[in-house]
Amino acid sequence: MNKIEMKTPLVEMDGDEMTRILWKMIKDDLLEPFIDLKTEYYDLGLEHRNATDDQVTVDSAEATKKYGVAVKCATITPNAARMEEYDLKEMWKSPNGTIRAILDGTVFRAPIVVKGIEPCVKNWKKPITIARHAYGDVYKGTEMKIPGAGKVELVYTAEDGTVAKELVHNFTGAGIVQGQHNISSSIESFARSCFNYALDIKQDLWFATKDTISKKYDHTFKDIFQEIFDSEYKEKFEAAGITYFYTLIDDAVARVMKSEGGYIWACKNYDGDVMSDMISSAFGSLAMMTSVLVSPQGYYEYEAAHGTVQRHYYKYLKGEETSTNSVATIFAWTGALRKRGELDQIPELCDFADKLEKACISTIESGKMTKDLALITTLENPTVLNSEEFIKAVRGTLEEML
Ligand code: NAP
Ligand code: MG
């Protein structure tokens, strides 16, 4: 069989711990036998980030701007324990945060739906994708404890010295206060990333805030989305047969619970934090969540939503057997390969990505799965495979399909 040729390299961002082990197995067993894989390799493993003073992370993000599509392995975000474990020069920032800041992107997370892993919400038949705005609000808030009676005001001093004030509250006793902000350009990028992604995957886009109560703050989000939609996306949405739908956040929650899924739900920063955990746990497993960072300029970075699965890695290092689920990492590769195939017009590459995803799904639906899924499946007598056996089983299914 001839290997599928690629034109443009993918930006490959290698990572840490158990997912680094799976990364190599996936390339060796599921990709390189079938594709003449072209990648520009960046080692984002913590040792190399430390050795390069984290320059490698910046370089990999810049390469994503150059080539357009990246695939990323899970990486360690250092904390005090990691400082010691890896003898780090500094507590390097989260690579995902660094990359997101450079690409100015929005993260879209969607569950991989398979028969036998049933959502807790019985009418959810299709995935629900959460798009979370990643800047500002309570995450960049300023807070104060108010010790006793006194006046709190918001004060804006313009560059020319003009002052505008707004009373927050006239305290008669102790209390608390919080200041939040957001930036129009960030909300605009968020809106464009959402509209572009909806067109990309041809799904409806929902957006919800509390604009009836927050008549300036949340209402600005609503207005920016609507203005950009009307002026740049309305016709494209009509042509694609999809809709943009705005509603109040509480109405959205009620509708989501009664829906059958199959749309993108755009959320403000806090709502996205809370709702993405609700959606992912209700769909069954963190190991089955995909994640893609989409920039308003149309750069894409695909990854799994889970971390480096540290606990399994320590077992692996001791020579013990692991049963780590590689599906979300495989889907990061298929997402990136399919996007590369679309951009470079290589239908065989898109077709291969589709087949590899189907191979993962049918392997699980045939009862062969890793332990995390075996614990929650509704299929009777599942066969529990170890990390490597599962990848080999997917290879077997894939070869039958090709
Ligand atoms: P984690 O790697 O997501 O794993 C937490 C637990 O979830 C695991 O111990 C395992 O449960 C289960 N799990 C997650 N993925 C699984 C998979 N593919 N197959 C089977 N089980 C899976 O989170 P963590 O242990 O809190 O974080 C480890 C490291 O990952 C941290 O250093 C963190 O900074 C990093 N992290 C990176 C990213 C990223 O790069 N995007 C995201 C999150 C965290 P059991 O142990 O019960 O089997
Ligand atoms: Mg959260």
Side-chain angles (χ1 to χ4, degrees), residues 283-312:
F283 267 103
S285 168
L286 185 62
M288 296 290 280
M289 284 294 279
T290 63
S291 180
V292 55
L293 176 73
V294 181
S295 85
Q297 293 81 16
Y299 310 129
Y300 293 78
E301 183 241 289
Y302 294 84
E303 64 175 322
H306 60 76
T308 61
V309 212
Q310 180 182 19
R311 216 179 59 83
H312 295 208

Side-chain angles (χ1 to χ4, degrees), residues 71-292:
V71 56
K72 181 179 169 291
C73 181
T75 46
I76 293 168
T77 298
N79 55 16
R82 302 297 198 168
M83 291 289 290
E84 206 170 312
E85 184 182 355
Y86 286 83
D87 192 17
L88 300 180
K89 298 184 221 168
E90 243 181 70
M91 202 184 285
W92 306 111
K93 285 194 210 135
S94 147
N96 290 51
T98 303
I99 295 165
R100 196 162 57 209
I102 293 173
L103 299 183
D104 183 24
T106 297
V107 174
F108 296 82
R109 284 185 161 197
I112 299 158
V113 176
V114 295
K115 287 193 202 83
I117 312 296
E118 304 302 332
C120 304
V121 181
K122 65 180 188 308
N123 42 284
W124 287 357
K125 306 286 181 233
K126 299 179 206 159
I128 297 169
T129 301
I130 293 274
R132 173 182 169 189
H133 185 211
Y135 180 83
D137 303 349
V138 71
Y139 302 85
K140 287 242 186 266
T142 310
E143 307 186 327
M144 276 172 89
K145 282 196 171 195
I146 305 300
K151 189 166 70 172
V152 174
E153 289 176 313
L154 290 176
V155 182
Y156 164 66
T157 312
E159 270 180 340
D160 68 4
T162 325
V163 172
K165 283 187 191 175
E166 198 71 50
L167 178 71
V168 175
H169 192 64
N170 241 324
F171 285 87
T172 52
I176 41 181
V177 66
Q178 185 180 61
Q180 293 185 26
H181 79 278
N182 221 298
I183 302 170
S184 299
S185 62
S186 172
I187 304 169
E188 288 160 11
S189 293
F190 174 49
R192 288 199 177 90
S193 295
C194 290
F195 292 130
N196 286 341
Y197 195 62
L199 285 169
D200 216 34
I201 65 168
K202 298 214 167 28
Q203 286 187 359
D204 292 345
L205 177 69
W206 296 17
F207 182 44
T209 72
K210 195 71 184 172
D211 66 283
T212 47
I213 299 297
S214 173
K215 290 189 170 65
K216 289 194 179 130
Y217 199 103
D218 278 20
H219 214 292
T220 299
F221 278 82
K222 177 184 177 181
D223 291 344
I224 287 177
F225 266 68
Q226 196 62 50
E227 280 156 24
I228 291 180
F229 179 70
D230 290 342
S231 60
E232 299 172 32
Y233 290 94
K234 203 169 186 200
E235 274 123 52
K236 291 181 195 160
F237 268 52
E238 274 163 14
I242 57 173
T243 55
Y244 168 59
F245 170 61
Y246 177 86
T247 187
L248 273 179
I249 185 76
D250 32 354
D251 180 50
V253 169
R255 286 172 189 258
V256 164
M257 296 312 281
K258 291 189 171 172
S259 76
E260 61 164 41
Y263 49 85
I264 301 163
W265 181 11
C267 292
K268 285 178 61 199
N269 211 347
Y270 175 82
D271 299 338
D273 186 351
V274 176
M275 292 307 167
S276 67
D277 283 2
M278 190 269 284
I279 296 280
S280 67
S281 69
F283 267 103
S285 168
L286 185 62
M288 296 290 280
M289 284 294 279
T290 63
S291 180
V292 55

Side-chain angles (χ1 to χ4, degrees), residues 7-18:
K7 291 178 190 159
T8 317
L10 280 176
V11 178
E12 176 183 354
M13 305 171 175
D14 207 345
D16 288 299
E17 299 196 310
M18 201 58 211

